[in-house]
């Protein structure tokens, strides 16, 4: 797990980048009083995160084994690191969305809700770790599955919060209009 985790976190950093850069752009646009444009930007950012996650998943599935070797996995550790890496790579889209929604819930003036979502994901992971590893004896595959399910729950809660009508949440998924300039600005702001 520790050998492959740095590579997985580099892939997942796309979610942090899009969330940080995107929430800054969306918050600025909301501050300018243009909520419809902020919602379009938010939708574009979420779609960008999904597309980036799909591309990284495809690349990650191919690169997991060479990355494990590069990071020092050998012998009996190599197949275990590859297994864990591949299972988590399959969940890059929800992991990226989880990271993005954390930042956007702060921009939507609901930081406690963002914290609650992350805590729910962590508790889900811990409880499922107990069942999958300790009770069902699934080993490393069970630990990976527990992590993935925690990420999926956090991503779906974030999507649910943004798809349902809630007057306390000011940003929502709306119509999409491609805007390369905004995507470049998000990368510029979020990359550091």
């Amino acid at each position: 797990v520790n050998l492959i985790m740095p590579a997985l976190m580099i892939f997942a950093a796309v979610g942090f980048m899009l969330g940080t850069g995107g929430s800054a752009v969306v918050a600025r646009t909301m501050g300018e009083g243009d909520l419809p444009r902020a919602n379009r930007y938010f939708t574009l950012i979420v779609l960008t995160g999904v597309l980036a996650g799909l591309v990284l998943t495809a690349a990650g599935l191919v690169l997991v084994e060479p990355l494990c070797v590069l990071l020092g996995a050998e012998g009996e550790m190599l197949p275990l690191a590859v297994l864990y890496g591949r299972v988590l790579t399959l969940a890059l889209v929800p992991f990226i969305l989880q990271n993005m929604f954390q930042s956007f819930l702060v921009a939507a003036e609901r930081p406690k809700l963002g914290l609650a979502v992350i805590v729910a994901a962590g508790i889900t992971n811990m409880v499922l770790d107990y069942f999958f590893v300790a009770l069902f004896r699934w080993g490393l595959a069970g630990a990976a599955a527990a992590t993935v399910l925690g990420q999926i729950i956090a991503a779906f809660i974030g999507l649910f919060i943004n798809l349902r009508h809630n007057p306390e949440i000011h940003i929502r998924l709306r119509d999409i209009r491609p805007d390369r300039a905004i995507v470049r600005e998000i990368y510029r702001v979020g990359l550091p």
Side-chain angles (χ1 to χ4, degrees):
V1 172
N2 288 336
L3 285 171
I4 191 59
M5 194 54 75
L8 295 171
M9 292 308 292
I10 288 170
F11 290 149
V14 170
F16 292 116
M17 178 183 63
L18 290 171
T20 302
S23 64
V25 169
V26 168
R28 181 193 69 214
T29 306
M30 288 171 57
E32 294 169 353
D34 195 344
L35 191 56
R37 188 166 48 112
N39 284 325
R40 285 194 308 272
Y41 289 167
F42 173 66
T43 305
L44 177 63
I45 294 160
V46 170
L47 181 61
T48 301
V50 169
L51 292 174
L54 291 172
V55 168
L56 289 171
T57 296
L61 289 173
V62 172
L63 295 174
V64 164
E65 188 165 353
L67 283 171
C68 288
V69 171
L70 180 69
L71 293 169
E74 56 186 30
E76 292 180 30
M77 285 182 126
L78 182 59
L80 293 172
V82 170
L83 170 69
Y84 192 82
R86 284 203 173 126
V87 172
L88 263 64
T89 297
L90 289 171
L92 280 174
V93 171
F95 194 30
I96 286 171
L97 290 176
Q98 170 190 332
N99 295 335
M100 288 174 52
F101 289 140
Q102 179 67 29
S103 295
F104 278 109
L105 285 170
V106 172
E109 301 172 2
R110 298 300 305 269
K112 290 180 183 176
L113 182 58
L115 175 62
V117 170
I118 294 300
V119 168
I123 290 172
T124 299
N125 186 356
M126 288 185 293
V127 168
L128 292 177
D129 270 337
Y130 174 74
F131 281 100
F132 294 170
V133 177
L135 293 181
F136 300 158
R137 305 272 186 225
W138 292 352
L140 194 60
T147 299
V148 164
L149 289 171
Q151 294 166 350
I152 289 171
I153 285 173
F156 280 122
I157 291 172
L159 281 172
F160 176 76
I161 289 168
N162 287 291
L163 290 175
R164 76 182 225 305
H165 180 70
N166 183 344
E168 295 177 16
I169 303 289
H170 302 293
I171 53 177
R172 299 196 183 347
L173 293 170
R174 294 287 187 247
D175 62 321
I176 185 164
R177 295 182 193 165
D179 189 332
R180 287 188 182 134
I182 286 300
V183 172
R184 279 193 304 272
E185 181 179 356
I186 290 162
Y187 283 118
R188 183 184 55 77
V189 172
L191 190 59

